[in-house]
């Protein structure tokens, strides 16, 4: 069974927290808010009182990402928005962003038409790579990859200036 878990940066102090996502059901000051319920403080009676004391923290909406249910080769959980580094072919190291959604995957080098897929994938290859390497299912790379940062805290890794 896969673990459903989310991560986001707290609005109040910028710390990353993980937990269950309560999303889009609440509007404060004319804006939608996303919250994360921390599992170590999970008390479902707290839904009547949204406060830190009850384990509910407001997070920066753009930083929310779902756990892929995979860990990298070092045992680090892989979330949407992470930047991973992996060896695609021996000696050919790539960096990509982890996302969830529809994508086309072509592992044949254009010999066959790409397959339409939905799920977690590594996309937007940040290095000089062939078209068929640009999108891969995260399952194919998880055990070989290493989380080297995320799009929110490490924008310098998105420059595509070569292997790092």
């Amino acid at each position: 069974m896969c673990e459903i878990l989310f991560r986001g940066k707290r609005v109040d102090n910028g710390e990353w927290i993980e937990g269950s996502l309560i999303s889009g059901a609440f509007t404060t000051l004319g804006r939608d808010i996303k919250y994360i319920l921390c599992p170590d403080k999970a008390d479902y009676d707290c839904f009547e009182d949204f406060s830190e004391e009850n384990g509910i923290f407001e997070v920066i909406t753009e930083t929310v990402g779902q756990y892929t249910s995979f860990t990298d080769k070092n045992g680090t959980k892989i979330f949407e928005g992470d930047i991973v580094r992996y060896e695609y072919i021996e000696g050919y190291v790539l960096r990509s962003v982890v996302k969830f959604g529809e994508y086309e995957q072509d592992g044949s080098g254009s010999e066959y038409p790409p397959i339409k897929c939905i799920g977690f994938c590594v996309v937007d290859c940040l290095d000089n790579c062939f078209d068929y390497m640009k999108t891969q299912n995260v399952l194919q790379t998880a055990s070989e990859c290493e989380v080297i940062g995320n799009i929110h805290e490490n924008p310098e890794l998105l420059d595509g200036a070569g292997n790092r």
Side-chain angles (χ1 to χ4, degrees), residues 117-133:
C117 305
I118 187 165
F120 290 105
C121 55
V122 289
V123 297
D124 303 333
C125 180
L126 301 170
D127 301 300
N128 188 18
C129 58
F130 300 108
D131 284 343
Y132 69 92
M133 295 178 178

Side-chain angles (χ1 to χ4, degrees), residues 50-115:
F50 289 94
S51 65
E52 291 181 19
E53 292 80 30
N54 287 326
I56 306 241
F57 301 92
E58 183 178 356
V59 295
I60 302 166
T61 302
E62 296 77 29
T63 66
V64 173
Q66 187 172 357
Y67 175 46
T68 65
S69 297
F70 296 105
T71 57
D72 71 2
K73 65 183 180 181
N74 301 317
T76 303
K77 291 178 182 172
I78 303 172
F79 285 86
E80 284 179 278
D82 280 342
I83 301 170
V84 296
R85 184 174 190 241
Y86 56 98
E87 190 170 53
Y88 184 78
I89 299 171
E90 189 174 332
Y92 200 81
V93 178
L94 301 176
R95 293 172 302 136
S96 294
V97 177
V98 177
K99 294 187 179 180
F100 179 85
E102 292 182 26
Y103 63 97
E104 289 188 350
Q105 182 170 333
D106 177 12
S108 71
S110 300
E111 186 177 347
Y112 303 105
I115 298 169

Side-chain angles (χ1 to χ4, degrees), residues 6 20-27 32-36 50 61 64:
F6 291 84
S20 299
L21 181 68
I22 305 169
S23 176
F26 309 97
T27 304
D32 286 335
I33 298 179
K34 294 186 184 226
Y35 290 90
I36 287 190
F50 289 94
T61 302
V64 173

